[in-house]
Amino acid sequence: MAVLSAKLASAALAFILVAASLGLIEAREAGIGIGIEIGSRGKPRQREFDYFNLALQWPGTYCQRTRHCCSSNACCRGSNSPSVFTIHGLWPDYNDGTWPACCTRKHFDEKEISTLLDPLEKYWPSLSCGNPSSCHGGKGSFWEKHGTCSAPVTGDEYNYFLTTLNVYFKYNVTKVLNEAGYVPSNTEKYPLRGIVSVIQNAFHATPKLACRNGAVEELHICFYKDFKPRDCVVGSSSSSDVLSSSNSCPNYISLPAYASLGAGNAESKLSWVPDDVL
């Protein structure tokens, strides 16, 4: 009986370990990260994030990929289209490279941010057509996916969006680069090290860049939870660390000038998609 009991206990332990492993795998596949804890009712609970990642996108690169126009696509606004870095999102991240997502069941409510809609439309526009997926269906994926996980610091929906705008304005990457001579151009190539160095000197932290076909597509500025800048590359201390954080970028990169798209552009062959089919 003692031997049988030991075997049963061993099998039970193995089952628990396998179940726990499967839970972590499912969490990672869902983009949740590995910081899973068990709540008081036995449900998975994501641990609090480690730092903020302000992801910015360069319209001159993004809009080159536009194939369809719609009322929500800022690339198609002609002379009113964005010509500066715009917000992609304020993301709560873990130091290990993963991130939490969809931390509560709270739904996005546009009425909560009605007074912020104008600046959000200008500085946090969509650069594509179609509705992004959300945690629970419908619109508002930025709040539901990222804002709910930022809530321990930023608070409710309104303050999440307001905080993001304030951080974006305070750490004005476009202005810093322009003042250093890095301006939009369809002919110039700029040294990656030079762009990184300018931002390091301005914000005392190392950014991370992502490129597409040699052109800057995204630029990330990272922050501690008190919104003081920090390196996006954990433990970076040398130029090789800086460049490895931007490994999709060549040594010389471009900041393409925006080419107007949409109905006002006679050369445009883009098709317009009605909103009701998106």
Side-chain angles (χ1 to χ4, degrees):
M1 288 294 293
V3 174
L4 179 60
S5 297
K7 288 183 177 180
L8 289 173
S10 177
L13 177 60
F15 174 80
I16 292 171
L17 292 174
V18 169
S21 298
L22 290 175
L24 290 177
I25 292 171
E26 290 173 357
R28 182 179 291 274
E29 289 177 346
I32 294 175
I34 62 173
I36 304 296
E37 300 174 352
I38 302 300
S40 59
R41 296 182 181 271
K43 296 180 180 179
R45 181 179 64 227
Q46 300 173 71
R47 63 181 172 85
E48 190 171 314
F49 66 99
D50 295 319
Y51 69 98
F52 283 109
N53 179 346
L54 177 65
L56 306 174
Q57 51 196 0
W58 182 249
T61 304
Y62 263 90
C63 293
Q64 289 179 353
R65 306 205 307 268
T66 298
R67 295 295 177 266
H68 303 284
C69 279
C70 56
S71 62
S72 63
N73 188 346
C75 292
C76 303
R77 296 176 185 168
S79 60
N80 293 322
S81 297
S83 57
V84 299
F85 277 102
T86 60
I87 300 168
H88 187 178
L90 181 66
W91 304 336
D93 282 352
Y94 294 131
N95 286 325
D96 62 9
T98 61
W99 57 89
C102 305
C103 290
T104 72
R105 298 291 300 176
K106 293 181 179 179
H107 290 265
F108 173 72
D109 183 357
E110 188 173 284
K111 295 192 296 294
E112 293 292 326
I113 57 169
S114 59
T115 58
L116 300 176
L117 290 180
D118 285 345
L120 288 174
E121 188 71 15
K122 183 175 182 179
Y123 300 110
W124 197 338
S126 171
L127 300 183
S128 63
C129 294
N131 295 322
S133 61
S134 65
C135 300
H136 320 298
K139 299 180 180 179
S141 64
F142 289 109
W143 162 246
E144 293 179 5
K145 285 186 177 179
H146 307 300
T148 57
C149 299
S150 304
V153 174
T154 58
D156 60 18
E157 178 184 325
Y158 175 85
N159 282 304
Y160 169 71
F161 286 101
L162 179 62
T163 298
T164 304
L165 286 170
N166 285 338
V167 173
Y168 168 79
F169 292 136
K170 182 175 181 179
Y171 297 93
N172 191 329
V173 171
T174 305
K175 180 180 178 182
V176 166
L177 292 179
N178 287 351
E179 289 178 348
Y182 298 112
V183 297
S185 172
N186 290 324
T187 58
E188 291 291 331
K189 295 282 188 179
Y190 301 117
L192 173 61
R193 290 179 185 271
I195 287 180
V196 170
S197 178
V198 165
I199 295 173
Q200 285 177 321
N201 291 336
F203 303 148
H204 307 291
T206 301
K208 181 177 181 179
L209 282 77
C211 296
R212 183 181 181 88
N213 298 326
V216 175
E217 186 168 54
E218 289 202 352
L219 192 152
H220 300 253
I221 305 293
C222 299
F223 302 89
Y224 295 105
K225 292 181 183 180
D226 61 359
F227 289 103
K228 292 180 180 178
R230 56 157 277 175
D231 292 345
C232 285
V233 185
V234 178
S236 66
S237 59
S238 67
S239 59
S240 61
D241 291 331
V242 171
L243 297 183
S244 67
S245 74
S246 305
N247 55 16
S248 65
C249 299
N251 290 334
Y252 284 83
I253 57 181
S254 63
L255 284 169
Y258 173 74
S260 180
L261 306 173
N265 185 355
E267 298 180 358
S268 176
K269 297 181 180 180
L270 301 175
S271 61
W272 277 78
V273 180
D275 292 344
D276 58 2
V277 303
L278 295 175

